[in-house]
């Protein structure tokens, strides 16, 4: 653990761990809302902010952060305009962000070298300002996911049903988009613009496949995110490779291995049930007939209503 | 008590209205079916009543409170909801329990009664024994049943369902109609559902709202038929 003697590595591990936790939870909700590409899009948009900040002699991290949030608000409005084809909003905003970034970068030739650290991430890129920003984002993100866990669950399944339950779907979605922008921008110094989505999407992809419940999917995603970031940063230090790509490769390996183990377990389970005649899945196929004397009425019904 | 009403409502998705002069009233304690041919805007009618769509013209009323003066709780089972998000990584229990959230604040811990209600709803649709299974492992009909269970777990004052018997066999449909009839008569709930199986469900209903094509321009309007011997609005 010699690497942890360095301040920049301590910052990278601390910041990476915090972002991995919130990004993984965010990923689960993004995937369930069919918005997996949103984080990728917002990171590209934030690149325009970085380029703009550099051009205007402002702090690029802060301008990138601000533009990512603006992009998140914009995508929510465009998403409502293209309700049936929500992925169009992602494409439109991504084109806008990336094209602005390219134009602004070409106006500022001297900055091209430092842009590579924004594109691919850098362990030494996490300075004190960015660390403070990441801590703030992690705290805001964690508070949001805890406070809004119930409406987020309902909205993730079906927005219309959630709306009829009195949930202000538009506002919750807007805040969710802003939080997405904040997390994507905060993760950028470590994993880089091009691979921010790996930190958000890959842990969630595996968690959704292997989890036995929604709650466990969130915890598994956080665990995978942490393992991916810590082992990726370690490998990046040892091999002198860009942290973004290394973390993404580790997460991809975890994803492939996890899916393979899951498939193997399913096959073993099938073989076992084939060999065992007693294990028959007698899952009911019919709606139970309801009668006034049925046991359902005595265990539920009005008695329980009075308790509410 | 009037829970929902529409007066001369006009609505369309493009520049041509698909629903014109739609007029209907829903009273508490009624079991109402909405019927009509495919494309007759039945789903649109429900969404307008729920406030999910805004009409071009006309008035829509949806009560804010129930008869006890508490906030009106609305249960909604959209069409084909079971087919949507089939890979949702949730257990049946988690999913149906989310129906009880409507009576609690976002941070309020669920009470034992909420868990009892979840159990009741799951038992009523015959899925309690399978509560730890994931939604993705269920058939279309079973998914439909847990969606109904989630709506029942809300203990709704008004339950609106869009073709809720999709994917159910005939025996299940009868069980479902009996259960809904019980909720109307014993718990005073109001149920509005879109159905194509009018003959099967007619004996349980209080009223039928039919969407028809108008001869002159092909627009649709609502006609209401009272079902014999059942109609007795509460309040």
């Amino acid at each position: 653990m010699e690497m942890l003697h360095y301040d920049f590595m301590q910052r990278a591990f601390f910041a990476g761990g915090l972002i991995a936790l919130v990004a993984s939870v965010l990923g689960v909700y993004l995937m369930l809302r069919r918005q997996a590409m949103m984080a990728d899009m917002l990171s590209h948009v934030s690149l325009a902010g970085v380029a703009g900040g550099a051009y205007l002699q402002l702090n690029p991290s802060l301008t990138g952060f601000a533009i990512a949030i603006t992009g998140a608000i914009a995508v929510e409005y465009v998403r409502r305009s293209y309700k049936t084809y929500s992925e169009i909003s992602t494409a439109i905003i991504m084109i806008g962000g990336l094209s602005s970034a390219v134009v602004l970068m070409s106006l500022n030739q001297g900055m091209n070298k430092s842009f590579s650290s924004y594109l691919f991430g850098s362990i030494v890129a996490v300075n004190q300002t960015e660390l403070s920003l990441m801590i703030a984002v992690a705290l805001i993100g964690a508070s949001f996911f805890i406070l809004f866990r119930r409406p987020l669950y309902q909205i993730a399944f079906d927005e219309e049903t959630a709306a009829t339950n009195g949930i202000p779907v538009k506002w919750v979605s807007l805040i969710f988009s802003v939080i997405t922008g904040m997390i994507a921008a905060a993760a950028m110094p470590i994993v880089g613009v091009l691979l921010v989505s790996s930190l958000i999407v890959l842990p969630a992809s595996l968690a959704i496949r292997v989890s036995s419940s929604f709650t466990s999917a969130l915890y598994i995603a956080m665990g995978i995110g942490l393992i991916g970031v810590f082992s990726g940063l370690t490998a990046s230090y040892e091999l002198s490779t860009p942290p973004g790509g290394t973390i993404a490769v580790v997460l991809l390996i975890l994803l492939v291995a996890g899916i393979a183990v899951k498939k193997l377990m399913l096959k073993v389970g099938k073989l076992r049930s084939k060999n065992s005649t007693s294990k028959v899945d007698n899952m009911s196929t019919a709606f139970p007939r309801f009668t006034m004397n049925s046991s359902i009425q005595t265990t539920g019904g009005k008695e329980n209503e009075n308790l509410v | 008590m009037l829970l929902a009403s529409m007066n001369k409502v006009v609505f369309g998705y493009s520049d041509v209205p698909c629903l014109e002069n739609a007029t209907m009233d829903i009273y508490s304690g009624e079991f109402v079916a909405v019927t009509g041919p495919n494309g007759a805007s039945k789903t649109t009618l429900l969404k307008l009543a729920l406030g999910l769509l805004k009409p071009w013209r006309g008035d829509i009323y949806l009560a804010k409170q129930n008869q006890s003066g508490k906030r009106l709780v609305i249960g909604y089972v959209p069409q084909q909801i079971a087919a949507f998000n089939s890979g949702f990584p949730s257990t049946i229990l988690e999913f149906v329990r989310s129906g009880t959230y409507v009576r609690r604040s976002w941070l309020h811990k669920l009470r034992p009664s909420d868990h009892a209600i979840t159990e009741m709803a799951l038992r009523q649709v015959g899925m309690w024994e399978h509560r730890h299974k994931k939604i993705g492992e269920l058939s279309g009909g079973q998914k439909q049943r847990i969606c109904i269970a989630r709506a029942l777990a809300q203990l709704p004052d008004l339950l609106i369902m869009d073709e809720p018997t999709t994917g159910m066999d005939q025996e299940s449909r009868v069980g479902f109609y009996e259960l809904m009839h019980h909720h109307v008569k014993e718990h005073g709930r109001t149920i509005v559902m879109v159905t194509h199986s009018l003959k099967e469900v007619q004996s349980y209903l209080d009223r039928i709202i039919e969407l028809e094509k108008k001869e002159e321009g092909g627009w649709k309007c609502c006609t209401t038929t009272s079902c014999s011997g059942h109609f007795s609005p509460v309040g």
Side-chain angles (χ1 to χ4, degrees), chain A residues 39-155:
Chain A
D40 203 30
M41 176 270 292
L42 288 175
S43 64
H44 283 75
V45 168
S46 71
L47 188 65
V50 169
Y55 181 68
L56 297 169
Q57 312 265 308
L58 298 169
N59 185 330
S61 298
L62 293 177
T63 49
F65 192 78
I67 293 296
I69 292 172
T70 313
I73 295 167
V75 82
E76 191 56 29
Y77 281 101
V78 181
R79 189 174 76 94
R80 281 175 208 164
S81 305
Y82 290 97
K83 223 172 180 181
T84 322
Y85 307 102
S86 60
E87 69 275 15
I88 290 178
S89 59
T90 309
I92 291 171
I93 306 288
M94 194 194 257
I95 292 163
L98 208 52
S99 56
S100 310
V102 169
V103 171
L104 287 165
M105 281 165 74
S106 68
L107 292 173
N108 200 1
Q109 295 289 343
M111 286 295 293
N112 282 355
K113 197 180 173 187
S114 62
F115 269 120
S116 69
S117 68
Y118 283 103
L119 290 174
F120 305 109
S122 164
I123 293 178
V124 290
V126 185
N127 57 35
Q128 196 55 49
T129 313
E130 280 163 343
L131 182 64
S132 308
L133 204 64
M134 284 180 191
I135 292 170
V137 167
L139 286 175
I140 293 168
S143 308
F144 174 73
F145 291 127
I146 292 167
L147 295 174
F148 286 70
R149 65 188 191 283
R150 287 181 187 167
L152 280 175
Y153 176 89
Q154 288 167 287
I155 291 172

Side-chain angles (χ1 to χ4, degrees), chain A residues 207-276:
Chain A
I208 285 172
R209 284 293 293 269
V210 301
S211 64
S212 58
S213 67
F214 185 79
T215 313
S216 67
L218 296 176
Y219 286 119
I220 291 171
M222 285 193 281
I224 295 164
L226 275 181
I227 293 169
V229 166
F230 288 161
S231 35
L233 283 175
T234 308
S236 170
Y237 173 83
E238 298 293 344
L239 306 169
S240 297
T241 49
T246 319
I247 290 169
V249 167
V250 170
L251 285 170
L252 260 179
I253 292 169
L254 286 174
L255 177 68
V256 173
I259 290 173
V261 169
K262 173 82 179 176
K263 281 197 171 175
L264 197 70
M265 283 169 73
L266 276 175
K267 270 192 178 174
V268 171
K270 272 183 192 171
L271 275 174
R272 275 188 187 167
S273 63
K274 242 185 190 179
N275 297 334
S276 162

Side-chain angles (χ1 to χ4, degrees), chain A residues 122-197:
Chain A
S122 164
I123 293 178
V124 290
V126 185
N127 57 35
Q128 196 55 49
T129 313
E130 280 163 343
L131 182 64
S132 308
L133 204 64
M134 284 180 191
I135 292 170
V137 167
L139 286 175
I140 293 168
S143 308
F144 174 73
F145 291 127
I146 292 167
L147 295 174
F148 286 70
R149 65 188 191 283
R150 287 181 187 167
L152 280 175
Y153 176 89
Q154 288 167 287
I155 291 172
F157 188 80
D158 179 42
E159 288 192 6
E160 285 186 342
T161 317
T164 58
N165 287 353
I167 294 170
V169 174
K170 282 183 182 174
W171 283 107
V172 176
S173 288
L174 186 64
I175 299 169
F176 178 79
S177 291
V178 170
I179 297 280
T180 306
M182 288 166 72
I183 293 173
M188 203 168 59
I190 291 185
V191 281
V193 169
L194 298 178
L195 290 161
V196 161
S197 60

Side-chain angles (χ1 to χ4, degrees), chain B residues 222-235:
Chain B
C222 297
T223 57
T224 301
T225 312
S226 288
C227 294
S228 55
H230 284 286
F231 184 52
S232 52
V234 180

